Amino acid sequence: MAAPVLRWSCPARRWILANIDRGPRHGRGSPTGSRSSGKRGQSSVAQQPLATAQKPRKGEHQWAAVVGLEIHAQISSNSKLFSGSQVHFAAPPNSLVSFFDASLPGTLPVLNRRCVEAAVMTGLALNCHINKKSLFDRKHYFYADLPAGYQITQQRLPIAVKGSLAYSVFVGKNRNQVINKTVRIKQIQLEQDSGKSLHDDLRSQTLIDLNRAGVGLLEVVLEPDMSCGEEAATAVRELQLILQALGTSQANMADYEIQRQIEELENGGEILNETRSFDCKLGCTVPMRDKEGKQDYRFIPEPNLPPLLLYDSASLPAGADPQQVINIDQLREQLPELPRVTREKLVQQYGMLPEHSFTLLNEVGLLEFFQNVMKETRAEPKRVTSWVLNTFLGFLKQQNLAVSESPVTPSALAELLNLLDQKTISSAAAKKVFEELWRSGGKTPAQIVSEKRLELMQDQEALEELCQATMEKHPQVVMDLKKGNPRAINKLIGLVRKATLNRADPTVIKEMLERQLSS
Amino acid sequence: MWARAARRVLRAPGGGGRGFASKAGGGGVSAGGEAAPQERGRVPGDVIEHLERLALVDFGSREAVARLEKAVAFADRLRAVDTDGVQPMESVLEDRCLYLRPDNVVEGNCAEELLQNAHRVMEEYFVAPPGNITLPKLDEQELFSKS
């Protein structure tokens, strides 16, 4: 993303120590900040401390104990989970709120079909067992942005359980050794989001905007299989890519946000086990941690919602209204290609290294850019990969731009690579052309090449003459060369290149010189 | 007031193995309350304190605690019922169909109406008191008297 907008402005400490289940809502009071334009979903990471047998040993980078993660991803849908008001990130306060969202008496929840489909698709993509019957519950706690005083969630019997998420970490000196890891998914459940509170400390009040209240969330609970912050960050990143590929959530929490929160978790790792024995030492601005039993959520079945029943092709009741039934098998068939498969295809089709396939998918729009260049160029995939991942991406990162903001189009890069492939220009010249393309935008590579006279010399005879002439002008260097000085040849090549105004390929020059010298 | 306390408590330890009380991951009153009732049904002091914080009640006197213990014993009679092999009924709606709504925007845009009901508003926001005030430490409870 171009502008590094901080979306969660609450101090990370508070976040770690905030409740597993986002209970003491004070922790989530001031955050949220602004959302980037055009994106609807978000994900947040709350950490679930688990009592484990081992404590993290101080001074070690790896956690001896492990931590489970809970990830809340906002579902990409037009309307909310239980009401027909709109889901949209930017709107005047309280304008996207229905009577149900404001929990006015007499209103009832009506389940949104799209949200159920999103949950099932996500469960399928994560290899979960889909519960054909799942139940909704009420989780009670008091906070101003939760007007009903409870959140409808799926505590007892969620929609999907027991899945797995595969991710890869890169280790080794050059980070090119791939280790494939898996983290188990405990469950995926549907639940409501709360509204937004803005704390006005000056006037000692809180301003409540319920636009977000009732939006559908997917809560993905990961088992404590990860042993360090980097693994956790990588796993979350992979989940993000999967959700984006499925279209179930925009999941656009920025990379650095994930990294930051994971780092805080690492830093707070020691605090976790130590503060268990403390009571409310944390002062009045920081919520209490939810030690077991400290918060009584008074779970009850949601009385207004019958069990949610899902079907597969075998159990689908005959003559059922297709709008009213959800067929798991049908959704499975409609699953789009997952990132893992896309990467495998890239490696097979283009022979690229696995870590390159990861980089291509990690950057928004980069894969498409790469594929567009491949379509229009005759150059080898390896060369295209190298240019896209090194040169192009390098320029983007330097100026903190997204792929969509790039001044160089895929066609332009394709044309440039064609010129290089045909040996019309040298590599060094190509880099210069690229720089110029980046700066000026409008011109084509061919134009730049001719303007700056960067074409390689095509006239072999002229080049031969230049080589001769250079050697005659610099007899000392030639003598050094004949004596066996290894650096002399490079000096000679350099001199010839200068004479050609850098329009000759060094390798060609070298060949020519060596030939002339030996004759 | 003790009656109210008793009602709240019934939900917690009385449920035995079923119900929410024993679910570790989901919060709720911890297993401590469940294991507590000894032969004579005495509720230990730390459980009383715990319940007082959760439910924001004050048991106050020994009699109130005795009432609590009687209420728990009364509820325990449920265990006499043999429910082996019987599926719990969670909802009277269990045979009904859950209606699925299509994902269309059909409501909202009534900020003015909603804000009308609010006691205080500020520029289209509801105004609420500042965030939760945490309870004082257990040992400071005396200072935090009946306010």
Side-chain angles (χ1 to χ4, degrees):
Chain A
M1 278 312 295
V5 173
L6 203 58
R7 286 193 194 85
W8 285 267
S9 54
C10 69
R13 274 282 156 83
R14 205 180 283 185
W15 189 258
I16 302 165
L17 302 176
N19 205 342
I20 307 175
D21 305 298
R22 292 150 70 226
R25 302 313 301 279
H26 3 273
R28 291 195 70 232
S30 38
T32 67
S34 60
R35 307 216 177 160
S36 70
S37 56
K39 304 259 190 238
R40 235 192 330 209
Q42 61 162 15
S43 36
S44 61
V45 177
Q47 163 256 9
Q48 173 188 3
L50 279 187
T52 61
Q54 301 154 304
K55 283 179 115 153
R57 292 189 281 275
K58 293 191 192 186
E60 284 196 7
H61 294 296
Q62 294 268 347
W63 290 335
V66 289
V67 176
L69 281 181
E70 278 182 15
I71 296 158
H72 298 91
Q74 201 172 87
I75 300 174
S76 264
S77 59
N78 299 326
S79 56
K80 296 185 181 178
L81 182 57
F82 292 117
S83 68
S85 40
Q86 193 185 11
V87 175
H88 194 65
F89 63 92
N94 292 308
S95 60
L96 305 178
V97 185
S98 66
F99 289 177
F100 171 78
D101 304 327
S103 84
L104 297 187
T107 55
L108 293 172
V110 187
L111 184 55
N112 179 342
R113 185 195 164 87
R114 156 72 185 154
C115 294
V116 181
E117 288 175 345
V120 173
M121 283 170 63
T122 307
L124 291 171
L126 295 174
N127 308 308
C128 294
H129 168 77
I130 307 291
N131 283 328
K132 292 227 184 75
K133 173 173 152 181
S134 59
L135 306 167
F136 289 100
D137 306 304
R138 288 186 184 179
K139 177 173 165 185
H140 300 80
Y141 59 87
F142 292 113
Y143 204 65
D145 63 18
L146 195 70
Y150 60 86
Q151 175 197 34
I152 301 181
T153 176
Q154 291 189 299
Q155 193 256 352
R156 283 170 298 154
L157 199 52
I159 191 167
V161 290
K162 292 202 171 55
S164 66
L165 168 62
Y167 62 102
S168 302
V169 260
F170 287 96
V171 293
K173 254 188 293 193
N174 300 327
R175 298 184 73 84
N176 54 2
Q177 284 169 293
V178 119
I179 298 185
N180 292 324
K181 293 193 164 263
T182 314
V183 54
R184 289 166 297 160
I185 308 269
K186 177 160 180 247
Q187 65 190 51
I188 298 177
Q189 61 198 56
L190 281 166
E191 56 182 40
Q192 290 174 304
D193 205 348
S194 69
K196 211 178 354 166
S197 10
L198 302 168
H199 293 296
D200 183 357
D201 291 322
L202 197 62
R203 294 184 195 78
S204 201
Q205 62 188 17
T206 305
L207 303 179
I208 307 291
D209 172 14
L210 296 177
N211 282 348
R212 202 185 63 193
V215 173
L217 293 179
L218 283 175
E219 179 174 320
V220 182
V221 182
L222 306 180
E223 297 275 21
D225 291 341
M226 294 162 291
S227 59
C228 68
E230 189 179 335
E231 283 184 12
T234 315
V236 172
R237 182 77 187 104
E238 185 65 14
L239 179 63
Q240 220 181 348
L241 290 175
I242 293 175
L243 291 174
Q244 287 169 345
L246 290 173
T248 50
S249 173
Q250 301 267 355
N252 60 350
M253 183 171 164
D255 278 331
Y256 65 84
E257 257 302 323
I258 299 177
Q259 202 57 44
R260 187 183 70 84
Q261 294 201 4
I262 300 292
E263 272 168 21
E264 292 291 348
L265 286 176
E266 288 214 280
N267 292 335
E270 292 195 35
I271 298 179
L272 281 187
N273 283 21
E274 285 165 7
T275 52
R276 261 176 205 286
S277 54
F278 294 173
D279 209 331
C280 328
K281 273 254 163 78
L282 307 168
C284 57
T285 54
V286 184
M288 290 195 318
R289 291 193 52 234
D290 181 42
K291 293 174 285 190
E292 219 167 276
K294 265 297 175 199
Q295 270 273 0
D296 183 6
Y297 291 118
R298 292 174 286 137
F299 284 96
I300 63 169
E302 168 54 58
N304 295 322
L305 292 171
L308 172 61
L309 298 175
L310 302 171
Y311 301 93
D312 52 26
S313 301
S315 62
L316 204 57
D321 178 0
Q323 293 301 323
Q324 285 305 311
V325 291
I326 290 186
N327 185 344
I328 301 173
D329 290 333
Q330 190 178 42
L331 288 174
R332 188 183 284 116
E333 279 161 37
Q334 291 169 355
L335 280 182
E337 186 175 278
L338 294 180
R340 193 176 29 89
V341 176
T342 312
R343 283 189 213 113
E344 277 165 16
K345 282 191 181 168
L346 284 174
V347 169
Q348 276 182 1
Q349 193 177 359
Y350 299 120
M352 70 171 67
L353 295 171
E355 65 251 35
H356 293 160
S357 67
F358 274 88
T359 315
L360 271 181
L361 260 69
N362 261 347
E363 201 65 36
V364 177
L366 192 60
L367 176 63
E368 206 185 315
F369 188 92
F370 170 81
Q371 284 166 333
N372 287 338
V373 174
M374 282 304 303
K375 266 188 235 169
E376 294 184 40
T377 186
R378 266 166 283 132
E380 288 225 335
K382 285 213 156 81
R383 177 167 261 170
V384 180
T385 309
S386 171
W387 270 82
V388 170
L389 290 183
N390 297 327
T391 319
F392 177 66
L393 195 58
F395 270 75
L396 280 180
K397 289 297 176 196
Q398 210 181 41
Q399 300 178 21
N400 213 350
L401 293 172
V403 173
S404 54
E405 297 164 323
S406 151
V408 176
T409 63
S411 307
L413 184 55
E415 196 189 316
L416 175 57
L417 292 175
N418 280 342
L419 290 175
L420 188 56
D421 194 52
Q422 294 157 359
K423 297 200 190 301
T424 311
I425 52 175
S426 67
S427 293
K431 292 255 163 60
K432 287 214 189 93
V433 175
F434 189 83
E435 271 174 34
E436 185 59 32
L437 275 176
W438 196 275
R439 267 187 344 101
S440 66
K443 305 192 200 140
T444 69
Q447 281 173 335
I448 298 176
V449 165
S450 67
E451 273 173 31
K452 296 195 172 228
R453 300 170 55 75
L454 290 168
E455 319 88 343
L456 286 172
M457 275 181 80
Q458 300 300 335
D459 191 347
Q460 297 297 330
E461 274 187 27
L463 189 57
E464 298 260 1
E465 279 169 30
L466 260 178
C467 287
Q468 270 305 102
T470 311
M471 283 201 287
E472 278 161 24
K473 267 197 244 161
H474 302 267
Q476 189 63 32
V477 186
V478 181
M479 268 211 315
D480 280 343
L481 183 60
K482 294 208 168 133
K483 281 204 212 135
N485 183 344
R487 284 208 300 252
I489 184 75
N490 288 335
K491 187 149 191 215
L492 212 50
I493 295 173
L495 288 166
V496 174
R497 277 188 81 194
K498 255 199 350 199
T500 64
L501 301 169
N502 260 336
R503 287 168 55 221
D505 196 321
T507 22
V508 174
I509 298 176
K510 187 170 186 204
E511 271 175 29
M512 229 171 242
L513 287 171
E514 283 172 349
R515 220 183 334 112
Q516 289 183 358
L517 285 168
S518 60
S519 61
Chain B
M1 189 189 80
W2 65 266
R4 202 167 38 155
R7 260 206 298 282
R8 282 187 213 233
V9 168
L10 277 179
R11 217 169 288 170
R18 290 177 220 96
F20 301 107
S22 51
K23 285 252 161 41
V29 178
S30 71
E34 226 184 285
Q38 289 133 16
E39 298 87 27
R40 288 191 46 203
R42 300 295 294 256
V43 184
D46 57 334
V47 176
I48 296 287
E49 276 174 12
H50 186 93
L51 291 174
E52 283 181 337
R53 288 179 72 78
L54 282 181
L56 297 178
V57 296
D58 181 6
F59 283 102
S61 65
R62 179 60 228 156
E63 279 152 349
V65 178
R67 291 256 187 212
L68 170 64
E69 287 162 356
K70 281 203 195 123
V72 173
F74 178 77
D76 267 345
R77 285 162 51 187
L78 280 173
R79 297 192 210 232
V81 179
D82 178 15
T83 52
D84 282 342
V86 179
Q87 281 295 314
M89 171 187 255
E90 295 121 353
S91 165
V92 294
L93 300 172
E94 63 184 15
D95 290 333
R96 295 246 186 165
C97 267
L98 178 51
Y99 178 75
L100 295 172
R101 183 177 57 83
D103 187 25
N104 300 322
V105 177
V106 294
E107 41 189 353
N109 257 314
C110 50
E112 216 179 287
E113 259 180 295
L114 292 173
L115 292 165
Q116 260 178 6
N117 284 336
H119 178 232
R120 277 176 66 201
V121 296
M122 184 156 119
E123 284 178 33
E124 301 191 316
Y125 287 95
F126 294 100
V127 176
N132 286 3
I133 303 161
T134 55
L135 295 172
K137 296 183 219 186
L138 288 174
D139 50 25
E140 285 174 10
Q141 216 148 31
E142 262 92 283
L143 300 168
F144 193 59
S145 61
K146 336 256 176 175
S147 45

